[in-house]
Amino acid sequence: YQPLKEDQILLSDCASSLAVQAYLRMCGLPVQVAYRANAEYMSPSGKIPFIHVGNQVVSELGPIVQFTKAKGHSLSDGLDDIQRAEMKAYMELVNNMLLTAELYIQWCDDATAAEISRPRYSSPYSWPLSNILAYQKQWEVRRKMNAIGWGGKTLEQVYEDVSQCCQALSQRLGTQPFFFNKQPTELDALVFGHLFTILTTRLTSTELAERIKSYSNLLSFCRRIEQTYFEDKTS
Amino acid sequence: MLGRRLGFAFSPHRVSDSSGNRHKVCDTDTFEAYAKFSGAKVTVSPIDWTWKTLTATVPELLCGDSAVQEATQILNFLRKQRFNADYELTARQGADTMAYIALLEEKLRPALLHTFWVDAENYANLTRPWFASRSPFPLNFLVPSRLANIALSRILLTKGEAPLHRITEVEGKIYSDAKECLNLLSYRLGTADYFFGNSPTSLDAFVFGFVAPLYKASLPSSPLQSHLKQLDNVTRFCDNVLAVYFSSDHPCPTPPVQETMDANLQKLTQLVNKESNLIEKMDDNLRSSPQHKPHRPEPKPSLASDKSSTPA
């Protein structure tokens, strides 16, 4: 479940949703995407995406991975302890840097917030609810940014952080097809979700996408995953 | 820094409104550890202006005219000045470093904040007296409680999602995350002395900065500390770093890349570090407080500290 695709969904949510979709496809599980305007409120933890299986609802990539593992599908069984530690570390890096940067750009950068984020977020609702919800969300995200210290950063610094993160990912990937040998793992799904979304979403400036494009192995990585797992997807 | 020779170091209560709270224990320890590893000579100078604690941020490094704040930026600054403990890492190891640092920040920091600032017993018995005793009235009431509030709000904002709105519900999650993080560090460290090979790097500094306070502080109640003590290789790592780099009996071991250091010796005289003022204060406090005995005599902190460089 995710918010409305064409109009409402925002960059960071789209990235997370795509990551979950990629992961489920990598596990070989059939997945159906449903769009709801109030997906955020339907979710048990307030975060999207979430999946609905039988009579259980699980949200966010971490819990979803554990849920599928409990059901017997796992991508990271072949890793030893050290590799699993590395994988978790890299996933945190992506979450810490990329997701936070996406949130920052969407909500703390005034130009983007006014032109894109607020209108999109509130598009299914009528005035004045739309205004209230949009500003509430923005206020909430800004509070969180301040709490973790990103409130004082400029856009340039955020771009710089994203570049460094991509550089780390690029160096880790090297020339391998996936991050850990030949098998994709949840890390691959997460990275794909974020990078692909950033590359294909229209923002007020293309700086972010440009920065990612400078790492060619990441680009080919995204393309490879898209072709392998999403070839029947009509988007 | 001096506090660390007593086995633990607690740090800045120089808090700025928006970001200072992050620069606490962990960051200062991290920075000092890194400075030691890379052989940079930093002078610890205490700041006497306790009223400034409300607005300035620590840790802060002064070099010549420029002031640099924040642990990661200070590390970058030192690297550019060619005090580099990561010199021998491959690109991939550098990437791993970034990833592990993100892991520490995300999983371990909330639990540490909770242990030191939010847990009522620890706060009342350990944290608050430490900070309060070195501030003049009325700061000794304001500053610790403000830091505690900031820590609490940070934890709730980043970890508390609906329906986890109360701290008690978040506690379970953050502690299990922290234990998992410690386990992961233990796996990664294995039997080696340092995380990458035989010489320490910035990752070692960060890990040390996070883990050492938890390991050494005498917390009245901490399941996390007990969990940490079960991880032998991590505790051995802390002890090792303390013994090798923070002992006043031995000079710091020379860093491996000697030629890049020589050219920068002139810069040493201009390198003044203000951030450990609190460490100094804590240290004085600890020396005078009855329950902690110093291991060895401390040199008097130097107040007029502009140009002199003393071994840290």
Side-chain angles (χ1 to χ4, degrees), chain A residues 34-55:
Chain A
Y35 304 100
R36 294 283 184 280
N38 57 344
E40 211 177 11
Y41 299 103
M42 284 167 73
S43 157
S45 73
K47 298 249 176 91
I48 23 190
F50 65 94
I51 57 173
H52 176 218
V53 178
N55 58 353

Side-chain angles (χ1 to χ4, degrees), chain A residues 47 90 92 148 168 171-172, chain B residues 22 91-92 95-96 106-107:
Chain A
K47 298 249 176 91
Y90 274 99
E92 285 309 322
I148 58 174
Q171 282 164 353
R172 180 65 177 83
Chain B
R22 291 202 307 124
R92 167 144 167 189
D96 283 351
E106 185 70 20
K107 300 277 180 185

